[in-house]
Amino acid sequence: MSSAEVISPAQLLRALELQSHAPVARIGEALVSLGMVSDEQLRAGLSRQRREPQVPLGEMLVRMGVVSRAQLQIALVRKMGYPLVNLHHFPATAEALRKVGHGVARRLQVMPLMLHDGRLVVAIDDPSSRHSALDEIEFIAQMKVTPVVGQCLDLDGVLNAAYEKIGDTSANPFAISTDPGRPLEFDLAGTSELLQTLEKEGPAASAPAPEASSEQSDNSLVRMINSMIQEAHREGASDIHIESYPGQEKTRIRFRRDGQLYTHLELPPSYRNAIVARVKIMCDLDISEKRNPQDGKINFAKYSPQHRIELRVATIPTNNGLEDVVMRILASSNPIPLSELGLSPNNLAQLTKAVERPYGMVLCVGPTGSGKTTTLHSALMHINTPERKIWTAEDPVEITQPGLRQVQINPRIDWTFAKALRAFVRADPDVIMVGEIRDGETARTAIEASLTGHLVLSTLHTNSAPETVTRLLDMGMDPFNFADSLLAVLAQRLVRRLCSRCTSSSPASPETVEELLDDYLHAFGTREDDAGRQRDAVRDVWLRRFGREGQLHAYVSVGCKHCSGTGFKGRVGIHELMVMSKTLRRLVQTGARAEELQQAALQEGMRTLRQDGIEKVLAGHTTIEEVRATSNV
């Protein structure tokens, strides 16, 4: 027996303490430094791993015959600092063994050793490669796991002897038959089939609220959660809501798709704690903390390499000691070109001109989830050239593009938008993007930066472009500095888009056209003697832009398989762009009300959210009901 081997709990605790202070090393570098692998062999292993990313590098080198498992263990111990535990001599504690059933331990070929600092210490042949096994143990044990390297000639015999001492001689035949080296497959069935499996495996609904504990059920639940995430992404959902109810009410899972919530499935009540715990494990949150909300992030590629999905997770404590989970599927990490945002030709030209200015401030406003950050990144993409230095402060960083210097805000350590802005000004920027103006300090710093020769882009939670101006003035901004710095304000909303596969059109009735004209002209507050002339002028413009064979058309979608029978597929933006002029600047300087600013902007060509929405109705993109539901008159 080697002197480096651990055979007692005291030795193991000392070894774990040493490992916590050891520098982090990569398995490839460790094998090369020990002379077990040549640089050429390592490159070959990395090249093959790129073709099979689900196989860890160490396991790949073993499969290629480059190194043996014994050599791999030597590298893990000597260069990566993992303690080496002799399982024939180490006295595993009963409390550790009870955290993981005998069948699970045999199937995954792991040995629970002891509990330490709220974590379960387990021995495994290769801690650097067996991530799926360690994740499953965390889920089953409901606690974090600390892996060590286990050395053993007959692990099944050691496990049998250890579990016999605590009176557990059972082993799940289903579990033993599973290949321990093979990760769980997530695409074997959809969530509906896995749900049926769960209901068969789980305790009866009339049981006195025990939580699901069988290993086979745990496997099905893990697969079901992964399938659920895949289906949500495939269906274009933006959020997944997991809602727990007390008593024997089922746990409900809902998807938000195109802004609307739909029930996806319902789980037996006995699984409500297990599903929340599994999600917490996936984003490295504290499983035992149920009284306070927590935030985390899931890199789903870790669990299913072919699905490069990121999710932002929030847990919320609810009554009866339960928790809800909301998972936001983060948008594509690539920005959308400015020309594809659905802006009208006039708005696109004016916004492009504003963001091409060398200094000043451009604001994008609207409620949460209205696509403000997406729009700002599209604007940055338009001006992102090697000649410009662009800094962004975001919470969280969702969209990335080469050339940007992006900073994640962290209020917990007092790293705020305002502090990031001040740091950026000292870092020789050309363009600064601030994720959100939340307070007066951030607003003042942004205005100062825009006045000192920088282009500043930011977002704000306001209802319309004119209201944004009055909101910032109410926050104590200097009217003259603010009027000088502001270039444009873009207000936007997202409405559901008519399904392109089941939409049909027919000539609009005169009553429908008159109703749309009334709605469109309401914002102008036109005098009665001018109303008829303006009405005719607007109708002529509509016929020229949207008419076919001299008629405007009404569009309806009946629903089809492509849109799940809803008649809508995807979303389209409606916009209100107020570009600053000499007249508007004078009004801002004198503290004019939002209504005065809106009337002046309308006279200069601005169109309100409602008016832009009506034009998208005439173009066949959405319905007037959708527009009215998301915009003010």
Side-chain angles (χ1 to χ4, degrees):
M1 183 178 66
S2 168
S3 60
E5 290 177 3
V6 171
I7 60 171
S8 71
Q11 287 179 315
L12 181 54
L13 292 177
R14 284 197 295 274
L16 288 171
E17 176 66 21
L18 289 172
Q19 184 195 13
S20 67
H21 295 98
V24 177
R26 295 181 178 180
I27 187 64
E29 295 170 353
L31 290 166
V32 170
S33 66
L34 289 170
M36 297 177 179
V37 174
S38 67
D39 289 334
E40 186 178 348
Q41 288 172 322
L42 178 60
R43 282 194 295 272
L46 289 168
S47 175
R48 187 166 166 183
Q49 192 204 18
R50 278 194 288 273
R51 295 194 297 272
E52 301 178 56
Q54 70 276 13
V55 181
L57 178 60
E59 177 67 21
M60 181 62 75
L61 293 170
V62 171
R63 291 185 186 183
M64 293 168 63
V66 176
V67 294
S68 66
R69 291 203 179 274
Q71 289 176 310
L72 192 62
Q73 284 195 341
I74 291 171
L76 290 168
V77 173
R78 291 189 187 174
K79 291 295 183 180
M80 300 184 73
Y82 285 104
L84 178 65
V85 179
N86 187 316
L87 301 183
H88 292 286
H89 295 86
F90 192 94
T93 65
E95 58 182 353
L97 293 167
R98 290 193 180 100
K99 287 288 182 183
V100 180
H102 189 184
V104 181
R106 287 190 63 178
R107 174 172 63 83
L108 298 177
Q109 292 290 282
V110 300
M111 178 73 181
L113 299 179
M114 62 188 291
L115 299 183
H116 173 58
D117 283 346
R119 288 174 170 253
L120 175 64
V121 181
V122 298
I124 193 166
D125 57 347
D126 180 3
S128 68
S129 298
R130 302 281 302 282
H131 296 302
S132 60
L134 295 173
D135 287 338
E136 192 173 346
I137 294 166
E138 286 188 339
F139 173 57
I140 292 167
Q142 300 288 282
M143 64 192 309
K144 292 293 180 185
V145 166
T146 298
V148 299
V149 176
Q151 189 174 60
C152 182
L153 299 175
D154 178 19
L155 182 59
D156 286 346
V158 171
L159 288 171
N160 283 336
Y163 279 97
E164 279 178 6
K165 289 181 182 178
I166 64 169
D168 181 0
T169 57
S170 62
N172 191 326
F174 173 85
I176 297 171
S177 66
T178 305
D179 180 1
R182 181 182 178 185
L184 286 170
E185 296 290 343
F186 300 136
D187 289 324
L188 296 177
T191 50
S192 57
E193 290 84 355
L194 289 167
L195 176 58
Q196 291 171 9
T197 306
L198 274 176
E199 289 175 332
K200 290 176 185 175
E201 296 166 354
S206 58
E211 296 303 329
S213 58
S214 79
E215 177 211 350
Q216 188 172 348
S217 298
D218 291 332
N219 293 337
S220 297
L221 188 63
V222 168
R223 291 196 298 272
M224 190 278 295
I225 292 171
N226 283 273
S227 293
M228 175 187 74
I229 292 172
Q230 291 173 16
E231 286 181 26
H233 182 257
R234 188 166 56 247
E235 293 178 14
S238 60
D239 301 88
I240 302 170
H241 293 247
I242 301 172
E243 300 165 346
S244 304
Y245 296 93
Q248 294 305 305
E249 288 192 59
K250 289 188 174 183
T251 295
R252 185 164 58 166
I253 295 173
R254 298 198 285 171
F255 290 172
R256 186 180 294 281
R257 192 170 65 244
D258 297 336
Q260 304 286 316
L261 278 171
Y262 302 90
T263 298
H264 176 65
L265 59 84
E266 293 182 332
L267 278 175
S270 52
Y271 288 91
R272 59 178 166 240
N273 288 350
I275 190 171
V276 173
R278 173 60 185 166
V279 172
K280 285 184 175 180
I281 286 169
M282 292 174 78
C283 51
D284 203 27
L285 298 180
D286 185 351
I287 301 168
S288 62
E289 178 56 74
K290 298 184 177 182
R291 295 175 299 176
N292 289 314
Q294 298 185 72
D295 297 307
K297 204 169 187 179
I298 296 174
N299 178 9
F300 191 63
K302 175 182 175 184
Y303 304 96
S304 182
Q306 68 271 31
H307 293 92
R308 299 194 174 277
I309 307 169
E310 278 194 307
L311 302 100
R312 194 170 68 214
V313 179
T315 68
I316 312 291
T318 57
N319 62 332
N320 296 292
L322 302 176
E323 290 179 282
D324 276 19
V325 178
V326 178
M327 296 187 280
R328 167 152 290 189
I329 301 174
L330 300 183
S332 166
S333 58
N334 299 316
I336 301 170
L338 203 57
S339 58
E340 296 179 15
L341 289 179
L343 290 156
S344 68
N346 184 52
N347 284 345
L348 177 61
Q350 290 192 310
L351 181 63
T352 303
K353 185 178 178 181
V355 298
E356 288 174 349
R357 296 280 293 274
Y359 59 87
M361 185 160 65
V362 176
L363 299 175
C364 188
V365 303
T368 301
S370 58
K372 301 185 296 296
T373 302
T374 300
T375 298
L376 288 190
H377 269 280
S378 297
L380 290 178
M381 181 185 184
H382 180 73
I383 59 175
N384 183 8
T385 62
E387 295 77 31
R388 286 190 176 96
K389 177 78 169 190
I390 302 175
W391 286 98
T392 78
E394 302 171 72
D395 186 20
V397 175
E398 294 183 27
I399 302 172
T400 58
Q401 50 183 301
L404 301 191
R405 309 309 302 144
Q406 295 178 272
V407 171
Q408 170 71 54
I409 295 303
N410 188 352
R412 293 177 183 175
I413 59 170
D414 199 31
W415 178 234
T416 61
F417 283 116
K419 286 193 173 181
L421 251 175
R422 284 196 292 271
F424 291 168
V425 172
R426 297 191 295 270
D428 189 28
D430 294 300
V431 181
I432 297 172
M433 195 269 266
V434 187
E436 184 183 342
I437 292 178
R438 295 176 179 170
D439 51 58
E441 182 185 8
T442 307
R444 276 187 290 274
T445 310
I447 291 170
E448 289 169 8
S450 66
L451 289 171
T452 52
H454 310 105
L455 179 66
V456 178
L457 283 67
S458 189
T459 73
L460 208 66
H461 287 108
T462 54
N463 290 323
S464 69
E467 284 180 36
T468 305
V469 174
T470 54
R471 171 73 62 83
L472 286 166
L473 292 177
D474 289 343
M475 288 169 67
M477 301 304 105
D478 178 83
F480 289 89
N481 284 344
F482 180 43
D484 287 343
S485 69
L486 188 62
L487 296 175
V489 183
L490 178 71
Q492 68 180 56
R493 301 285 190 279
L494 294 176
V495 295
R496 290 188 294 171
R497 183 191 291 272
L498 288 171
C499 175
S500 59
R501 299 197 184 179
C502 59
T503 296
S504 59
S505 67
S506 59
S509 66
E511 293 78 17
T512 299
V513 175
E514 292 302 315
E515 183 183 348
L516 290 175
L517 281 167
D518 287 339
D519 214 344
Y520 189 90
L521 295 169
H522 180 81
F524 288 107
T526 312
R527 295 196 312 270
E528 194 170 337
D529 54 339
D530 294 333
R533 188 167 56 252
Q534 192 168 22
R535 200 179 192 87
D536 292 338
V538 171
R539 185 187 286 107
D540 290 343
V541 171
W542 285 359
L543 283 168
R544 191 166 59 252
R545 290 180 60 193
F546 310 112
R548 283 185 291 160
E549 298 176 357
Q551 283 188 299
L552 296 172
H553 280 64
Y555 297 82
V556 293
S557 53
V558 294
C560 63
K561 184 179 179 180
H562 180 65
C563 61
S564 304
T566 63
F568 297 95
K569 184 71 175 178
R571 289 193 285 181
V572 63
I574 59 175
H575 306 91
E576 173 180 294
L577 180 64
M578 185 175 78
V579 179
M580 296 302 290
S581 63
K582 290 182 179 179
T583 302
L584 288 171
R585 282 199 170 86
R586 281 197 297 272
L587 288 171
V588 173
Q589 290 168 352
T590 57
R593 293 178 297 113
E595 292 82 358
E596 297 175 74
L597 290 169
Q598 176 170 301
Q599 287 304 316
L602 285 169
Q603 296 302 318
E604 295 180 353
M606 183 188 87
R607 292 299 173 257
T608 65
L609 287 164
R610 176 70 66 88
Q611 291 172 330
D612 190 59
I614 289 171
E615 292 187 352
K616 288 184 168 64
V617 171
L618 293 166
H621 297 321
T622 188
T623 65
I624 189 61
E625 290 76 20
E626 282 289 306
V627 173
R628 287 171 179 161
T630 55
S631 62
N632 297 320
V633 177

